[in-house]
Structures are given as C-alpha cells and as structure tokens.
Amino acid sequence: MNRIRDSLHLLIFKTFRAQRNKIRPKLSGIGLSVGQPKVLQYLSEHTECMQKDLAAYCDVEPATISKMLDTMEKNGLVKREDRKENRRAFRIVLTEEGALRLAAWDEICRSIDAVSLHGFTPEEERQFKDYLCRMYENLTGRILT
C-alpha cells in the first residue's frame, strides 16, 4: 500500500501545494497578492457587485474582503462607488489596471494548467474537472457555476 497514492486528502494537499509553488512566485511578478486574482476574476464577470456577494464568492468573511479591497483600491485595481439607492453600500468595479493584471494572471494560469494536465486526454480533463466540482459540492453544499 502506498500511503500517499491511496489517501485522497494527501493527494489533494500535495497537488495543491505543487500548483501553488508554481503559481505564487509569478503572482508578485504581476503586482498581485494572494486572493486578489479571485476578486478580479469575479469583478470581470460581474460588472458591479456588492461586497457581501464578493465575500461569498471568495469563501471568506466580509471583513476580510473589506481589507483586501482597501489594498486593491489603493493599488488602482478596483474602485468603490456610492450606490444612490443605498448610501451605506458600495458598488465595486474593476478598473482598467485591474483588467490588465487579470489578463496577465489568466495567462500564467493557462500555462500552469497546461503543465498540470500534460498527458490528459480532453475527456480525462473534462472528467477530472467534473470530479473536482462534485467534491466541492459535497463538501460545501454549493454548486460551482
């Protein structure tokens, strides 16, 4: 018996760490920090959003997103705008600089994905992604869209 190959949680953990070790050094090279690409991705798909929606998408507390948005706004990646219909809430939008850094991030991810999935057939890649989505849904009760 091979302890690692027979242990799902160890396989997932080791694979996650290997991927993170490839990605993290490139993250700072494009002027982003941990967690910021997910925020930029969400904002690119939702032309405007509320902070609570963003926190739910990122699986973090609203206070965590608030701090992250402060930094991202200072760096010119996002912009908070007042909402006329609710003066206590802000609308969060992606800036042009944020979109440029997201494009750089997407390119990094595509290259790491290509390395990660080397040797997989298109059908195996689709099945693998389906399995990961099902695992996430089983663990969280939420469907990935």
Side-chain angles (χ1 to χ4, degrees), residues 3-115:
R3 174 142 167 80
I4 293 174
R5 290 178 83 63
D6 292 335
S7 174
L8 181 62
H9 76 276
L10 286 176
L11 285 169
I12 290 172
F13 178 73
K14 289 185 83 52
T15 303
F16 166 76
R17 298 264 322 205
Q19 184 186 50
R20 187 178 68 184
N21 290 341
K22 293 277 188 194
I23 288 177
R24 281 241 173 121
K26 298 175 186 301
L27 189 61
S28 61
I30 59 171
L32 295 176
S33 59
V34 175
Q36 291 181 343
K38 192 186 295 191
V39 171
L40 296 176
Q41 182 65 47
Y42 184 84
L43 292 174
S44 76
E45 296 170 3
H46 302 84
T47 53
E48 58 183 61
C49 76
M50 299 289 291
Q51 192 167 303
K52 65 182 174 86
D53 301 327
L54 190 52
Y57 174 79
C58 294
D59 292 320
V60 298
E61 295 297 319
T64 302
I65 282 293
S66 180
K67 290 176 189 171
M68 189 180 298
L69 289 172
D70 288 344
T71 301
M72 294 176 78
E73 192 169 26
K74 285 177 193 167
N75 293 337
L77 305 175
V78 301
K79 183 169 53 169
R80 287 185 237 193
E81 300 173 345
D82 290 326
R83 293 182 61 134
K84 292 178 182 155
E85 64 274 7
N86 183 350
R87 296 176 68 177
R88 293 180 302 173
F90 293 99
R91 181 176 61 179
I92 306 159
V93 295
L94 184 65
T95 65
E96 187 175 327
E97 181 61 28
L100 290 171
R101 297 217 195 153
L102 177 60
W105 173 250
D106 286 342
E107 184 57 37
I108 289 167
C109 289
R110 277 192 293 278
S111 70
I112 300 295
D113 287 353
V115 171

